[in-house]
Amino acid sequence: MLQPFRGAGVAEQAAISVFERFKGAWELYTNPAAKNITGQRFWRKTVAGYTNHNYHEAVEETFDGNKLVFRFSNNL
């Protein structure tokens, strides 16, 4: 149902709206598996653009297993 919106920037704008609404230290988790390349690419592009590439990315063990973790702060 949402397929027609893919690539139109709707999800990126929604994420940025949430970031702007809730200032502070952020941690985003996504699946690090090869089957989730699209999701990883989305978050990498969105977070890099939003933070002007001022973020940390690493694969780490989390409360929910092994995840690709994005950390940044928008407290400025």
Side-chain angles (χ1 to χ4, degrees), residues 53-72:
H53 298 276
N54 188 18
Y55 71 98
H56 176 75
E57 173 184 336
V59 175
E60 299 178 8
E61 189 65 30
T62 72
F63 68 92
D64 194 28
N66 200 34
K67 300 292 181 186
L68 176 60
V69 181
F70 296 89
R71 289 189 180 90
F72 65 93

Side-chain angles (χ1 to χ4, degrees), residues 10-27:
V10 175
E12 184 175 359
Q13 281 306 116
I16 290 169
S17 293
V18 173
F19 297 158
E20 285 297 303
R21 185 167 179 190
F22 300 99
K23 299 291 186 171
W26 278 85
E27 288 187 356

Side-chain angles (χ1 to χ4, degrees), residues 39-61:
Q40 295 167 24
R41 199 174 291 138
F42 168 79
W43 284 114
R44 213 170 263 126
K45 177 182 175 248
T46 300
V47 171
Y50 180 72
T51 65
N52 197 28
H53 298 276
N54 188 18
Y55 71 98
H56 176 75
E57 173 184 336
V59 175
E60 299 178 8
E61 189 65 30

